[in-house]
């Protein structure tokens, strides 16, 4: 990023933040610094359509549907992945602070070099043959989820010259019906790319942005094995976890 480009994006983000309504916590769908959002966000009011009966039934996933090993992204039959091993855990809660049990939590991410196992990702960083970058688990009776994985690296994207995404993990959660789904991102504390990332900055409220950043947890960290991060997810209410923009960032 040239200094002029950096100043231009930073100035535009600051201007939008200054003009935002107090307490505006939802992600801006039409956010000029995030260029693809201008072309891909909805431009018309949603139509009210009655869902089919099958979509009104809550998703039900039993223990036989999700194997416990699917929550450990470091497992590979031919070797261990390269990178910093981490544990990410937290609780899924509703607006009243009650745990959401049996919730299917899915994640996907780049490897330690910042590259996804996806044909659309062709930037010149190495693929790790021992890391597939996706996992899932069910929340327990107290709403806890837990993943073991590799800390992802930042990666370039084509929003502007020299644009890099902060390291993050994508999360997907179904609600009480198939028509309800939360897709969002978890970031890591202290990332120097936060101020330069239009996706992260498209949430104009600082407190809402902070809810997307995990907390380092030394009690969760395991001696000579893995560092630990805590990240709770609130599905509804004033403290809800912000939803990811519909425009694709990869």
């Amino acid at each position: 990023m040239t200094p002029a480009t950096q100043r231009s994006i930073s100035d535009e983000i600051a201007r939008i933040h200054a003009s935002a309504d107090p307490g505006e916590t939802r992600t801006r769908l039409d956010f000029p610094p995030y260029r693809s959002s201008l072309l891909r966000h909805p431009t018309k009011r949603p139509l009210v359509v009655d869902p089919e009966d099958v979509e009104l039934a809550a998703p039900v996933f039993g223990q036989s549907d999700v194997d416990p090993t699917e929550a450990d992204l470091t497992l590979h039959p031919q070797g261990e992945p390269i990178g910093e091993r981490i544990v990410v855990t937290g609780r899924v809660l509703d607006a009243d602070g009650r745990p959401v049990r049996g919730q299917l939590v899915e994640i996907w991410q780049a490897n330690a070099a910042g590259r996804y196992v996806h044909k659309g990702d062709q930037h010149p960083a190495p693929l790790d043959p021992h890391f597939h970058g996706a996992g899932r688990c069910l929340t327990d009776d107290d709403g806890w989820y837990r993943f073991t994985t590799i800390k992802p690296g930042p990666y370039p994207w084509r929003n502007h010259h020299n644009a890099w995404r902060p390291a993050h993990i994508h999360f997907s959660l179904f609600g009480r019906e198939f028509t309800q789904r939360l897709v969002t991102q978890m970031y890591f504390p202290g990332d120097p790319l936060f101020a330069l990332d239009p996706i992260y900055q498209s949430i104009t409220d600082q407190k809402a942005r902070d809810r997307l950043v995990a907390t380092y947890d030394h009690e969760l960290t395991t001696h000579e094995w893995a560092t630990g991060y805590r990240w709770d997810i609130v599905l509804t209410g004033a403290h809800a976890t912000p939803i990811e923009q519909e425009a694709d960032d990869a």
Side-chain angles (χ1 to χ4, degrees):
M1 178 186 297
T2 64
T5 301
Q6 179 176 333
R7 285 194 301 271
S8 176
I9 292 175
S10 298
D11 290 347
E12 189 168 22
I13 289 174
R15 178 183 59 78
I16 295 172
H17 285 186
S19 64
D21 294 332
E24 179 184 327
T25 60
R26 295 189 64 82
T27 304
R28 286 274 184 105
L29 295 179
D30 189 347
F31 193 72
Y34 181 10
R35 293 180 179 176
S36 59
S37 72
L38 302 180
L39 303 175
R40 301 176 62 181
H41 75 85
T43 58
K44 299 180 180 179
R45 296 180 64 85
L47 297 176
V48 178
V49 179
D50 291 334
E52 298 180 5
D53 291 341
V54 67
E55 294 177 329
L56 294 177
V60 177
F61 301 96
Q63 296 299 326
S64 61
D65 299 312
V66 180
D67 191 280
T69 61
E70 295 182 67
D72 190 342
L73 283 66
T74 67
L75 296 177
H76 193 280
Q78 297 178 353
E80 294 186 358
I82 296 173
E84 177 188 344
R85 187 184 295 105
I86 62 174
V87 172
V88 178
T89 187
R91 299 181 75 198
V92 179
L93 307 169
D94 67 13
D96 297 318
R98 297 171 299 191
V100 182
R101 305 175 181 87
Q103 175 76 55
L104 179 67
V105 182
E106 300 173 300
I107 65 170
W108 62 97
Q109 63 170 93
N111 64 20
R115 186 167 175 182
Y116 289 92
V117 182
H118 190 283
K119 64 181 180 181
D121 189 346
Q122 295 296 318
H123 95 270
L127 283 172
D128 187 339
H130 301 143
F131 187 72
H132 52 75
R136 61 180 187 164
C137 71
L138 298 175
T139 56
D140 65 15
D141 288 344
D142 291 321
W144 286 95
Y145 71 86
R146 182 184 177 102
F147 291 100
T148 302
T149 185
I150 297 297
K151 188 175 182 180
Y155 60 80
W157 60 311
R158 298 176 181 177
N159 186 73
H160 53 272
H161 179 71
N162 203 14
W164 289 80
R165 294 290 340 271
H168 60 276
I169 298 177
H170 297 269
F171 275 72
S172 166
L173 299 91
F174 281 105
R176 300 185 183 280
E177 301 172 357
F178 277 108
T179 53
Q180 298 175 339
R181 187 186 182 203
L182 170 71
V183 178
T184 188
Q185 300 179 18
M186 185 205 85
Y187 297 91
F188 295 86
D191 197 310
L193 293 172
F194 283 158
L196 303 175
D197 182 53
I199 296 180
Y200 176 77
Q201 295 292 339
S202 64
I203 301 170
T204 58
D205 183 78
Q206 180 64 57
K207 291 182 179 179
R209 288 200 301 273
D210 290 345
R211 292 199 291 272
L212 293 177
V213 182
T215 301
Y216 171 74
D217 189 335
H218 198 63
E219 295 297 321
L220 180 63
T221 297
T222 306
H223 178 65
E224 296 184 353
W225 178 250
T227 52
Y229 292 89
R230 169 79 181 269
W231 192 58
D232 293 339
I233 301 170
V234 181
L235 296 182
T236 57
H239 298 290
T241 301
I243 297 175
E244 178 180 314
Q245 289 200 27
E246 292 190 9
D248 187 8
D249 68 317

